[in-house]
Amino acid sequence: MTHSTRSAAEVSPVDAGSALQDSSDAPAAGQQRFVLSGPVADYDPRVTAIRGDLADIALAGKFFAPHYVAPQLHRVSHAAAMLRKAGSADAEAVSQLQPGEGFALLDSAGDWGWGYGVHDGYCGYVRLDALTRDAAEPTHVVHVRRALVFAEPSIKTPMVASLPMGARVAVLGTSECGKFLQVEAGWMSVRHAIGLDALTCDPVDRAQQLIGAPYLWGGRGGDALDCSGLVQLVLMLAGHAAPRDSDQQMAALGRALGDDEPLARGDLVFFPGHVGIMADAETLVHANAFWMQVVAEPLADVIARFPETTPQPVLARKRIG
């Protein structure tokens, strides 16, 4: 194993629920053997960095693993990278890492690394060539759908890169004219990035900027995204940390609205396996596979598309404080 540090319990795997052994299984004289007993705590494997062979060292004392690994911080280099269920290009995508975001690498094999995104703890496999250890600590995040990067602090110079909403950058300076920020790749407009210490964007405005962006299972940036990716992204830009998936968001975010409370701009509406954000009392902005893009449409139309057999199309309505 490379790119990781093994520590602590260098032992053979044991059944955490088995504490007994018969005489034929007894250790030889002079040898010590130990087992763990007691109940195994439930955990969400999406955000708990544990596999059958190893776990994040932060979980030592909470969950048993044959090896505990100290994560190594990497960052996504120049393009968004899909996080997958397995170390294979044809494995299902589970999420996406945006340029500049941190990835805690726990293990690597071949072209793939296993670990979790630092921003939300979501676990998965990412291609190692998408990561770098040389990137500077980000100071800003792109808050427009796409930000262009120019060779010099002038819009008349060649475009050398473009960054999607959600990309994180380290600002190295400001141009003399005050209109451009210097980043590693070149120069971008001061209007296109906001400091990570000043996240006060209007989440509905940012969601509306994404109308027309393609739907992508696992996507969570300005290029393409899924329903919970959109909500996570626009809430992050407003200074609210949100989990990755819609069920996690429904459990963790906001205050549940009473049946007599009308919806308002910025409220979240949760459906079975789906979520969107209200632009006003009647209009939902959401990334969805029906239109295969981000759209704004009447909430009533979204509800009407659920089969009549759906017991409860709207699972929750939440307001972010």
Side-chain angles (χ1 to χ4, degrees):
M1 182 173 68
T2 59
H3 297 295
S4 61
T5 303
R6 294 180 184 242
S7 61
E10 293 284 345
V11 298
S12 300
V14 297
D15 182 351
S18 175
L20 301 176
Q21 60 186 40
D22 60 29
S23 58
S24 64
D25 196 33
Q31 290 183 333
Q32 276 191 319
R33 177 174 178 177
F34 67 89
V35 295
L36 298 179
S37 62
V40 177
D42 290 334
Y43 64 89
D44 186 342
R46 294 172 294 181
V47 290
T48 310
I50 184 170
R51 298 189 318 197
D53 58 337
L54 60 86
D56 186 346
I57 197 169
L59 299 177
K62 301 177 182 178
F63 301 99
F64 175 77
H67 308 292
Y68 296 100
V69 178
Q72 293 188 356
L73 178 63
H74 290 64
R75 293 198 179 277
V76 179
S77 51
H78 302 297
M82 298 307 297
L83 199 63
R84 300 189 180 276
K85 277 188 176 181
S88 171
D90 58 4
E92 180 182 333
V94 295
S95 190
Q96 187 181 45
L97 302 169
Q98 294 303 306
E101 286 187 327
F103 183 75
L105 183 65
L106 295 170
D107 187 27
S108 64
D111 296 331
W112 294 85
W114 177 73
Y116 54 90
V118 173
H119 60 284
D120 61 6
Y122 211 95
C123 300
Y125 292 80
V126 65
R127 284 191 61 90
L128 292 172
D129 58 11
L131 304 177
T132 178
R133 298 195 70 183
D134 298 328
E137 180 77 17
T139 58
H140 290 63
V141 60
V142 174
H143 68 99
V144 295
R145 182 166 170 179
R146 178 154 288 277
L148 304 183
V149 181
F150 299 94
E152 300 294 339
S154 168
I155 60 174
K156 297 181 180 180
T157 61
M159 185 190 78
V160 295
S162 63
L163 297 168
M165 183 184 290
R168 302 188 180 211
V169 295
V171 171
L172 308 176
T174 305
S175 64
E176 292 185 5
C177 65
K179 296 180 180 180
F180 292 87
L181 300 173
Q182 185 180 17
V183 296
E184 180 183 5
W187 298 82
M188 62 186 295
S189 171
V190 295
R191 300 183 185 278
H192 290 173
I194 187 172
L196 288 169
D197 58 352
L199 297 174
T200 57
C201 297
D202 177 352
V204 176
D205 174 74
R206 297 315 184 269
Q208 290 174 324
Q209 285 190 35
L210 294 168
I211 291 174
Y215 178 87
L216 175 66
W217 179 267
R220 45 176 297 276
D223 287 336
L225 60 179
D226 62 20
C227 66
S228 54
L230 181 148
V231 167
Q232 185 188 50
L233 173 61
V234 300
L235 289 183
M236 178 274 292
L237 292 171
H240 301 289
R244 176 61 182 91
D245 291 342
S246 62
D247 64 314
Q248 298 169 321
Q249 294 171 356
M250 185 172 70
L253 296 176
R255 173 183 68 84
L257 296 177
D259 293 340
D260 59 341
E261 291 185 86
L263 287 164
R265 180 182 174 89
D267 289 343
L268 303 179
V269 180
F270 294 90
F271 313 86
H274 191 57
V275 63
I277 187 168
M278 299 299 294
D280 53 42
E282 299 178 348
T283 307
L284 185 76
V285 181
H286 62 140
N288 62 94
F290 181 81
W291 297 111
M292 285 304 295
Q293 62 180 329
V294 179
V295 299
E297 61 178 329
L299 173 62
D301 290 356
V302 179
I303 294 173
R305 282 200 292 272
F306 281 88
E308 293 182 0
T309 55
T310 304
Q312 190 176 351
V314 175
L315 300 179
R317 305 180 309 150
K318 308 291 285 286
R319 180 161 295 165
I320 306 298

